[in-house]
Amino acid sequence: MRILLIIHGYPPYYMAGSEVYTYNLARELAKSNKVFVFCRFEDKSLPLYQIADTVSEGVNIRYINNYEPKDAVFYDKYLNPRIDDEFRNYVKIVNPDVVHIGHLSHLSTQIPIIAKREFGLPVLFTIHDFWMFCHRGQLINPEDWKICPLPNIEQCTRCAAFHYNNPDFPAEQIRQRTEHIRHLIDCVDVFFAPSHTLEQFFIEMGVDREKIFYSKYGFNISAIKNHKKSNRSEVVFGFTGRIIHTKGVHLLCEAFSKVEGNARLVVWGDADSEYGRDLMQKYSGKNIEFNGRYHNDELQQVLDSFDVLVCPSIWLENAPLVIQEAQAAQIPVLVSDRGGMAELVHDGIDGFTFKLGDADDLRQKMQRIIDNPEILSALKPSIEKVRTIQDDAEFCMLKYNELTKTTPLYPHRPSPWRITFITNPDKCNLHCKMCDTFSADNRHILKELRRPEMDFLVVEKTVAELAYHGLKEIIPSTMGEPLLYSHFEQLVDLCKKFGIKMNLTTNGTFPKGVEFWAEKLLEVISDVKFSINGINHAVNEQIMCGIDTQKQLANIEYYLNLRRKLHNHSTVTLQCTFMKSNLNELENIIRWAIDHGVDRVKGHHLWKTSDSLDSEILRTTENAPLWNDICAKCHAIADGKIKLENFTPIDLAAPAIDADDTFCQFLGNELWIEYDGSYQVCCCPSEVRKEFGDFGSVEDIPPLEMWNGTKYLGFIANWGNSENCKKCNMRKKR
């Protein structure tokens, strides 16, 4: 089996509990499977997102460099579209049978959604803390270091306001994270809970209890030897783990500094932080030693350095590895009396407990041991049997094999990668003959519709929410001339702010002048499509009524020259409508495009919008041969110098496209938002879209809720049943 493990850190870079557990599990699984690990490391001297591949002990590891930017915002704590893309790429390379997640902080919480909905992979998740429901991970209030009750939006907003030193922290961001986590949970098939504390917490938070399995951590017990009683005359207490406030190291140092008698405290862990350095400065030399970090392969040496392990955490913990490692070596343990710690120790029987957060109670328990070291010998071996990594891996394999990999009919991204905003449907400076709104045959429609411009706040709010979830591109309008939108400059600034690209279709008239727009556009453009239907003035102006062809071509040339001067890598397309009127101009359009450095010529067959266009349609017995002849000539001219799109011969005798052998290129990928804020799931005419149902509007339902809601999921699942879908000429062959 090909197994892909996901973890936020992996040895040798990180040696905390979840990372060490994944390290041991990966090595065990690799004995009989192909194992891959996708994880992050942090090195600010190297480029962000730099990738390093290595193989260690039979495990294939991909490290991706990721560190928090100085201007990090709340979304950066759990979302990262760039990590999403790197994960997609790695899945395509690895082609796993199953994905098993350990932790997603410093990666992206969209990984399980991508694995399930885009690749159809079984997804399993080992729970290591409360992070999915608590943005700080440990369910503890940083203001007073008290354990929180069950998370809720009001409480979490107060916590975030304190953490980010922002009294106006928006509750909406907490709501969005909470809703997003619900979608994540829907994509997980199995949760492993190493403690009943976390198992019960997840159930109380609404996770289906049928999904959760109590499954203790496995350990490489064969590598841990029984602790031999030393000849030391003193009692040595030990701490191992992360030296952070919630681990209670300050509590331990304070308590130990007040005991009397022959005793010593050794602290193992990386103290290179403000918290750690303060502790070292305050307590070093008072029979307290700070021994630094260690690799898990050095565990035995660490365990042999003390007589009693102390786990003084002030949060509930899960099922600390350090406790079970000590128990495997038959080392007595002294732990806080709450949560996953208390599950592993029975006071006075196989260890000792003290009141969580109570330094004086901890001091008393340590003093008792110092005064009566013989009580350590009276302890029984751990009642809670330490599980082997072999048993753990076997159970994982059992669950892996129960789940089935599928191929999604329509890969459904966590959010749309592109949105078309119908910004100004009734504003255009031309009246092209094929237009369904502005042509001479259809202009009367404008009086009936009277559609206003889109409120810019709709655009702003939507982009701000979806940019962190994977929105990469927007299209302004597809009706009218986009540059006439009153807020177009703000739209450009919005793209720059969020790093979103703009895909623009324009008629090349450049209201306000090409000099005003060209440089602004080149900062954000991915591709600009200039609509043009002939180099010959008479042909072009007969189709694009109101155009000045000479000025249009000069504008396009100016834009191309500026793109070249700025060494800009966006693309330029000339876009035309295939119709009988401009059939003989297509060759000229391609030649002009080649001569001026255009990247692509794209066309679409005419969509009939009035009876006057009947003679223009090329998919007829009379006109199809003419099209096919021109089509061949166009390809001969292009000859690898330029890309042609949709220049495909017509075969009227060919059987109709088999709907079962085609797919919709938009489902699960793109979204349309009308000028009034209503959601649309297709680019077909509005009258046709009504058949698909009402998906609400931005005012009624946030974009991600619509995108991940049951109605849209149902529409995707049933695509193809609609007669309009079956007739659609934009379907793609599988």
Side-chain angles (χ1 to χ4, degrees), residues 481-518:
E481 167 52 48
L483 292 176
L484 291 173
Y485 180 43
S486 301
H487 305 285
F488 197 88
E489 286 185 77
Q490 291 172 267
L491 197 62
V492 171
D493 291 339
L494 189 67
C495 288
K496 287 194 288 187
K497 177 179 178 180
F498 288 101
I500 302 294
K501 291 295 184 181
M502 180 186 293
N503 189 315
L504 177 67
T505 299
T506 175
N507 59 30
T509 58
F510 283 102
K512 294 188 179 180
V514 66
E515 296 85 356
F516 179 85
W517 285 116

mmCIF file of all heavy atoms in Angstrom, residues 481-518:
data_model
loop_
_atom_site.group_PDB
_atom_site.id
_atom_site.type_symbol
_atom_site.label_atom_id
_atom_site.label_comp_id
_atom_site.label_asym_id
_atom_site.label_seq_id
_atom_site.Cartn_x
_atom_site.Cartn_y
_atom_site.Cartn_z
ATOM 1 N N GLU A 481 -18.538 46.346 -21.422
ATOM 2 C CA GLU A 481 -17.097 46.577 -21.406
ATOM 3 C C GLU A 481 -16.635 46.732 -19.956
ATOM 4 O O GLU A 481 -17.021 47.689 -19.274
ATOM 5 C CB GLU A 481 -16.756 47.828 -22.214
ATOM 6 C CG GLU A 481 -15.344 48.367 -22.024
ATOM 7 C CD GLU A 481 -14.263 47.323 -22.231
ATOM 8 O OE1 GLU A 481 -14.327 46.592 -23.251
ATOM 9 O OE2 GLU A 481 -13.361 47.223 -21.382
ATOM 10 N N PRO A 482 -15.824 45.813 -19.420
ATOM 11 C CA PRO A 482 -15.443 45.839 -18.001
ATOM 12 C C PRO A 482 -14.784 47.136 -17.553
ATOM 13 O O PRO A 482 -14.977 47.573 -16.412
ATOM 14 C CB PRO A 482 -14.465 44.666 -17.873
ATOM 15 C CG PRO A 482 -14.734 43.794 -19.042
ATOM 16 C CD PRO A 482 -15.242 44.669 -20.128
ATOM 17 N N LEU A 483 -13.995 47.764 -18.432
ATOM 18 C CA LEU A 483 -13.284 48.978 -18.026
ATOM 19 C C LEU A 483 -14.227 50.151 -17.756
ATOM 20 O O LEU A 483 -13.797 51.181 -17.232
ATOM 21 C CB LEU A 483 -12.257 49.376 -19.089
ATOM 22 C CG LEU A 483 -11.054 48.431 -19.246
ATOM 23 C CD1 LEU A 483 -10.176 48.870 -20.394
ATOM 24 C CD2 LEU A 483 -10.258 48.364 -17.965
ATOM 25 N N LEU A 484 -15.505 50.001 -18.099
ATOM 26 C CA LEU A 484 -16.484 51.038 -17.815
ATOM 27 C C LEU A 484 -17.068 50.908 -16.402
ATOM 28 O O LEU A 484 -17.833 51.775 -15.971
ATOM 29 C CB LEU A 484 -17.622 51.001 -18.845
ATOM 30 C CG LEU A 484 -17.243 51.425 -20.269
ATOM 31 C CD1 LEU A 484 -18.401 51.170 -21.225
ATOM 32 C CD2 LEU A 484 -16.839 52.896 -20.300
ATOM 33 N N TYR A 485 -16.725 49.843 -15.703
ATOM 34 C CA TYR A 485 -17.204 49.669 -14.326
ATOM 35 C C TYR A 485 -16.657 50.810 -13.478
ATOM 36 O O TYR A 485 -15.455 51.104 -13.483
ATOM 37 C CB TYR A 485 -16.718 48.323 -13.796
ATOM 38 C CG TYR A 485 -17.131 47.980 -12.391
ATOM 39 C CD1 TYR A 485 -18.420 48.208 -11.932
ATOM 40 C CD2 TYR A 485 -16.208 47.387 -11.515
ATOM 41 C CE1 TYR A 485 -18.794 47.869 -10.642
ATOM 42 C CE2 TYR A 485 -16.576 47.037 -10.220
ATOM 43 C CZ TYR A 485 -17.867 47.282 -9.782
ATOM 44 O OH TYR A 485 -18.231 46.938 -8.502
ATOM 45 N N SER A 486 -17.532 51.460 -12.746
ATOM 46 C CA SER A 486 -17.148 52.656 -11.987
ATOM 47 C C SER A 486 -16.040 52.385 -10.974
ATOM 48 O O SER A 486 -15.294 53.299 -10.604
ATOM 49 C CB SER A 486 -18.367 53.220 -11.245
ATOM 50 O OG SER A 486 -19.388 53.553 -12.157
ATOM 51 N N HIS A 487 -15.939 51.133 -10.510
ATOM 52 C CA HIS A 487 -14.965 50.798 -9.469
ATOM 53 C C HIS A 487 -13.814 49.948 -10.020
ATOM 54 O O HIS A 487 -13.191 49.203 -9.259
ATOM 55 C CB HIS A 487 -15.665 50.045 -8.337
ATOM 56 C CG HIS A 487 -16.839 50.774 -7.763
ATOM 57 N ND1 HIS A 487 -16.700 51.855 -6.920
ATOM 58 C CD2 HIS A 487 -18.172 50.600 -7.943
ATOM 59 C CE1 HIS A 487 -17.903 52.301 -6.582
ATOM 60 N NE2 HIS A 487 -18.808 51.557 -7.188
ATOM 61 N N PHE A 488 -13.532 50.080 -11.300
ATOM 62 C CA PHE A 488 -12.523 49.208 -11.890
ATOM 63 C C PHE A 488 -11.137 49.450 -11.293
ATOM 64 O O PHE A 488 -10.373 48.499 -11.057
ATOM 65 C CB PHE A 488 -12.473 49.372 -13.413
ATOM 66 C CG PHE A 488 -11.763 48.234 -14.092
ATOM 67 C CD1 PHE A 488 -12.447 47.100 -14.464
ATOM 68 C CD2 PHE A 488 -10.392 48.277 -14.324
ATOM 69 C CE1 PHE A 488 -11.790 46.032 -15.072
ATOM 70 C CE2 PHE A 488 -9.727 47.224 -14.923
ATOM 71 C CZ PHE A 488 -10.431 46.094 -15.296
ATOM 72 N N GLU A 489 -10.781 50.690 -11.029
ATOM 73 C CA GLU A 489 -9.474 50.959 -10.411
ATOM 74 C C GLU A 489 -9.383 50.323 -9.027
ATOM 75 O O GLU A 489 -8.338 49.776 -8.647
ATOM 76 C CB GLU A 489 -9.233 52.464 -10.318
ATOM 77 C CG GLU A 489 -8.900 53.124 -11.646
ATOM 78 C CD GLU A 489 -8.544 54.583 -11.478
ATOM 79 O OE1 GLU A 489 -7.405 54.861 -11.041
ATOM 80 O OE2 GLU A 489 -9.403 55.436 -11.778
ATOM 81 N N GLN A 490 -10.481 50.369 -8.264
ATOM 82 C CA GLN A 490 -10.505 49.718 -6.964
ATOM 83 C C GLN A 490 -10.363 48.205 -7.113
ATOM 84 O O GLN A 490 -9.755 47.530 -6.276
ATOM 85 C CB GLN A 490 -11.818 50.038 -6.234
ATOM 86 C CG GLN A 490 -11.950 51.487 -5.788
ATOM 87 C CD GLN A 490 -13.339 51.765 -5.244
ATOM 88 O OE1 GLN A 490 -14.238 52.195 -5.974
ATOM 89 N NE2 GLN A 490 -13.524 51.508 -3.968
ATOM 90 N N LEU A 491 -10.922 47.699 -8.186
ATOM 91 C CA LEU A 491 -10.825 46.266 -8.463
ATOM 92 C C LEU A 491 -9.368 45.863 -8.698
ATOM 93 O O LEU A 491 -8.898 44.837 -8.199
ATOM 94 C CB LEU A 491 -11.675 45.928 -9.695
ATOM 95 C CG LEU A 491 -12.040 44.472 -9.941
ATOM 96 C CD1 LEU A 491 -12.867 43.927 -8.797
ATOM 97 C CD2 LEU A 491 -12.811 44.351 -11.253
ATOM 98 N N VAL A 492 -8.646 46.685 -9.421
ATOM 99 C CA VAL A 492 -7.221 46.433 -9.651
ATOM 100 C C VAL A 492 -6.462 46.468 -8.327
ATOM 101 O O VAL A 492 -5.627 45.599 -8.044
ATOM 102 C CB VAL A 492 -6.639 47.470 -10.640
ATOM 103 C CG1 VAL A 492 -5.117 47.351 -10.716
ATOM 104 C CG2 VAL A 492 -7.246 47.283 -12.026
ATOM 105 N N ASP A 493 -6.756 47.470 -7.497
ATOM 106 C CA ASP A 493 -6.090 47.575 -6.194
ATOM 107 C C ASP A 493 -6.413 46.376 -5.305
ATOM 108 O O ASP A 493 -5.549 45.900 -4.549
ATOM 109 C CB ASP A 493 -6.512 48.869 -5.493
ATOM 110 C CG ASP A 493 -5.970 50.116 -6.175
ATOM 111 O OD1 ASP A 493 -4.972 49.997 -6.913
ATOM 112 O OD2 ASP A 493 -6.559 51.202 -5.985
ATOM 113 N N LEU A 494 -7.634 45.883 -5.393
ATOM 114 C CA LEU A 494 -8.043 44.712 -4.601
ATOM 115 C C LEU A 494 -7.240 43.487 -5.012
ATOM 116 O O LEU A 494 -6.791 42.706 -4.172
ATOM 117 C CB LEU A 494 -9.541 44.461 -4.790
ATOM 118 C CG LEU A 494 -10.182 43.408 -3.887
ATOM 119 C CD1 LEU A 494 -10.187 43.871 -2.442
ATOM 120 C CD2 LEU A 494 -11.611 43.114 -4.354
ATOM 121 N N CYS A 495 -7.036 43.321 -6.298
ATOM 122 C CA CYS A 495 -6.222 42.204 -6.799
ATOM 123 C C CYS A 495 -4.797 42.302 -6.266
ATOM 124 O O CYS A 495 -4.208 41.304 -5.840
ATOM 125 C CB CYS A 495 -6.214 42.196 -8.327
ATOM 126 S SG CYS A 495 -7.763 41.672 -9.083
ATOM 127 N N LYS A 496 -4.232 43.500 -6.272
ATOM 128 C CA LYS A 496 -2.865 43.681 -5.773
ATOM 129 C C LYS A 496 -2.787 43.371 -4.286
ATOM 130 O O LYS A 496 -1.834 42.726 -3.819
ATOM 131 C CB LYS A 496 -2.390 45.118 -6.050
ATOM 132 C CG LYS A 496 -2.073 45.384 -7.510
ATOM 133 C CD LYS A 496 -1.293 46.668 -7.706
ATOM 134 C CE LYS A 496 -2.147 47.886 -7.475
ATOM 135 N NZ LYS A 496 -1.442 49.147 -7.822
ATOM 136 N N LYS A 497 -3.774 43.814 -3.540
ATOM 137 C CA LYS A 497 -3.774 43.626 -2.092
ATOM 138 C C LYS A 497 -3.745 42.143 -1.722
ATOM 139 O O LYS A 497 -3.015 41.732 -0.807
ATOM 140 C CB LYS A 497 -5.007 44.293 -1.484
ATOM 141 C CG LYS A 497 -5.138 44.092 0.017
ATOM 142 C CD LYS A 497 -6.381 44.794 0.563
ATOM 143 C CE LYS A 497 -6.535 44.546 2.059
ATOM 144 N NZ LYS A 497 -7.745 45.231 2.610
ATOM 145 N N PHE A 498 -4.520 41.321 -2.422
ATOM 146 C CA PHE A 498 -4.641 39.916 -2.056
ATOM 147 C C PHE A 498 -3.859 38.974 -2.965
ATOM 148 O O PHE A 498 -3.954 37.758 -2.825
ATOM 149 C CB PHE A 498 -6.119 39.509 -2.039
ATOM 150 C CG PHE A 498 -6.891 40.087 -0.887
ATOM 151 C CD1 PHE A 498 -7.706 41.192 -1.070
ATOM 152 C CD2 PHE A 498 -6.771 39.546 0.380
ATOM 153 C CE1 PHE A 498 -8.413 41.743 -0.006
ATOM 154 C CE2 PHE A 498 -7.470 40.089 1.450
ATOM 155 C CZ PHE A 498 -8.292 41.186 1.260
ATOM 156 N N GLY A 499 -3.093 39.533 -3.886
ATOM 157 C CA GLY A 499 -2.302 38.681 -4.774
ATOM 158 C C GLY A 499 -3.148 37.861 -5.728
ATOM 159 O O GLY A 499 -2.781 36.747 -6.107
ATOM 160 N N ILE A 500 -4.301 38.407 -6.118
ATOM 161 C CA ILE A 500 -5.226 37.724 -7.023
ATOM 162 C C ILE A 500 -4.989 38.235 -8.447
ATOM 163 O O ILE A 500 -4.793 39.427 -8.662
ATOM 164 C CB ILE A 500 -6.689 37.996 -6.624
ATOM 165 C CG1 ILE A 500 -6.950 37.541 -5.193
ATOM 166 C CG2 ILE A 500 -7.656 37.323 -7.582
ATOM 167 C CD1 ILE A 500 -6.853 36.076 -4.972
ATOM 168 N N LYS A 501 -5.019 37.332 -9.400
ATOM 169 C CA LYS A 501 -4.861 37.734 -10.796
ATOM 170 C C LYS A 501 -6.212 38.083 -11.417
ATOM 171 O O LYS A 501 -7.259 37.615 -10.977
ATOM 172 C CB LYS A 501 -4.203 36.614 -11.599
ATOM 173 C CG LYS A 501 -2.743 36.374 -11.247
ATOM 174 C CD LYS A 501 -1.880 37.574 -11.600
ATOM 175 C CE LYS A 501 -0.415 37.334 -11.345
ATOM 176 N NZ LYS A 501 0.404 38.535 -11.677
ATOM 177 N N MET A 502 -6.141 38.909 -12.458
ATOM 178 C CA MET A 502 -7.341 39.279 -13.199
ATOM 179 C C MET A 502 -7.257 38.722 -14.613
ATOM 180 O O MET A 502 -6.244 38.875 -15.292
ATOM 181 C CB MET A 502 -7.505 40.804 -13.264
ATOM 182 C CG MET A 502 -8.749 41.255 -14.033
ATOM 183 S SD MET A 502 -8.826 43.053 -14.241
ATOM 184 C CE MET A 502 -9.054 43.597 -12.556
ATOM 185 N N ASN A 503 -8.314 38.057 -15.024
ATOM 186 C CA ASN A 503 -8.437 37.570 -16.394
ATOM 187 C C ASN A 503 -9.455 38.476 -17.074
ATOM 188 O O ASN A 503 -10.634 38.475 -16.717
ATOM 189 C CB ASN A 503 -8.904 36.108 -16.379
ATOM 190 C CG ASN A 503 -8.833 35.475 -17.758
ATOM 191 O OD1 ASN A 503 -9.239 36.078 -18.739
ATOM 192 N ND2 ASN A 503 -8.336 34.255 -17.807
ATOM 193 N N LEU A 504 -8.994 39.257 -18.039
ATOM 194 C CA LEU A 504 -9.815 40.339 -18.576
ATOM 195 C C LEU A 504 -10.149 40.112 -20.043
ATOM 196 O O LEU A 504 -9.277 39.764 -20.843
ATOM 197 C CB LEU A 504 -9.053 41.661 -18.434
ATOM 198 C CG LEU A 504 -9.720 42.919 -19.001
ATOM 199 C CD1 LEU A 504 -10.974 43.271 -18.210
ATOM 200 C CD2 LEU A 504 -8.735 44.087 -18.998
ATOM 201 N N THR A 505 -11.419 40.305 -20.370
ATOM 202 C CA THR A 505 -11.844 40.360 -21.770
ATOM 203 C C THR A 505 -12.327 41.774 -22.040
ATOM 204 O O THR A 505 -13.252 42.263 -21.368
ATOM 205 C CB THR A 505 -12.973 39.359 -22.051
ATOM 206 O OG1 THR A 505 -12.504 38.031 -21.796
ATOM 207 C CG2 THR A 505 -13.409 39.444 -23.512
ATOM 208 N N THR A 506 -11.696 42.436 -22.987
ATOM 209 C CA THR A 506 -12.016 43.836 -23.274
ATOM 210 C C THR A 506 -12.070 44.042 -24.785
ATOM 211 O O THR A 506 -11.472 43.281 -25.552
ATOM 212 C CB THR A 506 -10.958 44.767 -22.647
ATOM 213 O OG1 THR A 506 -11.209 46.114 -23.035
ATOM 214 C CG2 THR A 506 -9.550 44.383 -23.085
ATOM 215 N N ASN A 507 -12.787 45.077 -25.214
ATOM 216 C CA ASN A 507 -12.893 45.326 -26.660
ATOM 217 C C ASN A 507 -11.748 46.178 -27.194
ATOM 218 O O ASN A 507 -11.721 46.516 -28.381
ATOM 219 C CB ASN A 507 -14.254 45.940 -27.017
ATOM 220 C CG ASN A 507 -14.514 47.255 -26.300
ATOM 221 O OD1 ASN A 507 -13.594 48.013 -25.992
ATOM 222 N ND2 ASN A 507 -15.790 47.542 -26.030
ATOM 223 N N GLY A 508 -10.803 46.554 -26.334
ATOM 224 C CA GLY A 508 -9.621 47.265 -26.810
ATOM 225 C C GLY A 508 -9.822 48.742 -27.036
ATOM 226 O O GLY A 508 -8.932 49.414 -27.578
ATOM 227 N N THR A 509 -10.969 49.286 -26.632
ATOM 228 C CA THR A 509 -11.188 50.728 -26.815
ATOM 229 C C THR A 509 -10.514 51.542 -25.715
ATOM 230 O O THR A 509 -10.247 52.731 -25.892
ATOM 231 C CB THR A 509 -12.696 51.046 -26.818
ATOM 232 O OG1 THR A 509 -13.278 50.591 -25.588
ATOM 233 C CG2 THR A 509 -13.390 50.361 -27.991
ATOM 234 N N PHE A 510 -10.275 50.934 -24.574
ATOM 235 C CA PHE A 510 -9.607 51.576 -23.439
ATOM 236 C C PHE A 510 -10.197 52.941 -23.089
ATOM 237 O O PHE A 510 -9.562 53.986 -23.310
ATOM 238 C CB PHE A 510 -8.108 51.728 -23.715
ATOM 239 C CG PHE A 510 -7.329 50.452 -23.560
ATOM 240 C CD1 PHE A 510 -6.942 49.726 -24.676
ATOM 241 C CD2 PHE A 510 -6.998 49.968 -22.295
ATOM 242 C CE1 PHE A 510 -6.232 48.547 -24.536
ATOM 243 C CE2 PHE A 510 -6.281 48.794 -22.161
ATOM 244 C CZ PHE A 510 -5.902 48.069 -23.275
ATOM 245 N N PRO A 511 -11.413 52.969 -22.551
ATOM 246 C CA PRO A 511 -11.940 54.244 -22.045
ATOM 247 C C PRO A 511 -10.930 54.863 -21.075
ATOM 248 O O PRO A 511 -10.308 54.157 -20.295
ATOM 249 C CB PRO A 511 -13.218 53.812 -21.302
ATOM 250 C CG PRO A 511 -13.608 52.510 -21.944
ATOM 251 C CD PRO A 511 -12.324 51.836 -22.320
ATOM 252 N N LYS A 512 -10.730 56.146 -21.131
ATOM 253 C CA LYS A 512 -9.710 56.921 -20.404
ATOM 254 C C LYS A 512 -8.341 56.814 -21.072
ATOM 255 O O LYS A 512 -7.400 57.476 -20.653
ATOM 256 C CB LYS A 512 -9.574 56.487 -18.941
ATOM 257 C CG LYS A 512 -10.782 56.764 -18.075
ATOM 258 C CD LYS A 512 -10.468 56.476 -16.605
ATOM 259 C CE LYS A 512 -11.661 56.761 -15.723
ATOM 260 N NZ LYS A 512 -11.353 56.488 -14.293
ATOM 261 N N GLY A 513 -8.199 55.969 -22.099
ATOM 262 C CA GLY A 513 -6.946 55.891 -22.836
ATOM 263 C C GLY A 513 -6.081 54.716 -22.432
ATOM 264 O O GLY A 513 -6.007 54.351 -21.259
ATOM 265 N N VAL A 514 -5.409 54.123 -23.410
ATOM 266 C CA VAL A 514 -4.560 52.970 -23.144
ATOM 267 C C VAL A 514 -3.393 53.339 -22.234
ATOM 268 O O VAL A 514 -2.928 52.530 -21.426
ATOM 269 C CB VAL A 514 -4.059 52.349 -24.469
ATOM 270 C CG1 VAL A 514 -3.116 53.306 -25.217
ATOM 271 C CG2 VAL A 514 -3.369 51.013 -24.222
ATOM 272 N N GLU A 515 -2.915 54.585 -22.331
ATOM 273 C CA GLU A 515 -1.809 55.022 -21.485
ATOM 274 C C GLU A 515 -2.209 55.027 -20.011
ATOM 275 O O GLU A 515 -1.384 54.785 -19.129
ATOM 276 C CB GLU A 515 -1.338 56.433 -21.887
ATOM 277 C CG GLU A 515 -0.760 56.528 -23.286
ATOM 278 C CD GLU A 515 -1.844 56.736 -24.346
ATOM 279 O OE1 GLU A 515 -3.057 56.718 -23.974
ATOM 280 O OE2 GLU A 515 -1.501 56.889 -25.526
ATOM 281 N N PHE A 516 -3.479 55.311 -19.739
ATOM 282 C CA PHE A 516 -3.966 55.330 -18.364
ATOM 283 C C PHE A 516 -4.047 53.919 -17.779
ATOM 284 O O PHE A 516 -3.710 53.698 -16.615
ATOM 285 C CB PHE A 516 -5.349 55.995 -18.321
ATOM 286 C CG PHE A 516 -5.971 56.040 -16.944
ATOM 287 C CD1 PHE A 516 -5.673 57.069 -16.071
ATOM 288 C CD2 PHE A 516 -6.851 55.043 -16.523
ATOM 289 C CE1 PHE A 516 -6.239 57.112 -14.796
ATOM 290 C CE2 PHE A 516 -7.421 55.074 -15.257
ATOM 291 C CZ PHE A 516 -7.116 56.113 -14.391
ATOM 292 N N TRP A 517 -4.457 52.948 -18.614
ATOM 293 C CA TRP A 517 -4.776 51.624 -18.101
ATOM 294 C C TRP A 517 -3.648 50.597 -18.215
ATOM 295 O O TRP A 517 -3.527 49.702 -17.369
ATOM 296 C CB TRP A 517 -5.996 51.051 -18.842
ATOM 297 C CG TRP A 517 -7.307 51.647 -18.448
ATOM 298 C CD1 TRP A 517 -8.147 52.372 -19.245
ATOM 299 C CD2 TRP A 517 -7.936 51.572 -17.168
ATOM 300 N NE1 TRP A 517 -9.271 52.759 -18.548
ATOM 301 C CE2 TRP A 517 -9.151 52.267 -17.261
ATOM 302 C CE3 TRP A 517 -7.588 50.994 -15.953
ATOM 303 C CZ2 TRP A 517 -10.033 52.396 -16.191
ATOM 304 C CZ3 TRP A 517 -8.457 51.114 -14.880
ATOM 305 C CH2 TRP A 517 -9.663 51.809 -15.000
ATOM 306 N N ALA A 518 -2.850 50.667 -19.245
ATOM 307 C CA ALA A 518 -1.963 49.541 -19.579
ATOM 308 C C ALA A 518 -1.062 49.117 -18.422
ATOM 309 O O ALA A 518 -1.005 47.929 -18.055
ATOM 310 C CB ALA A 518 -1.128 49.885 -20.812
#
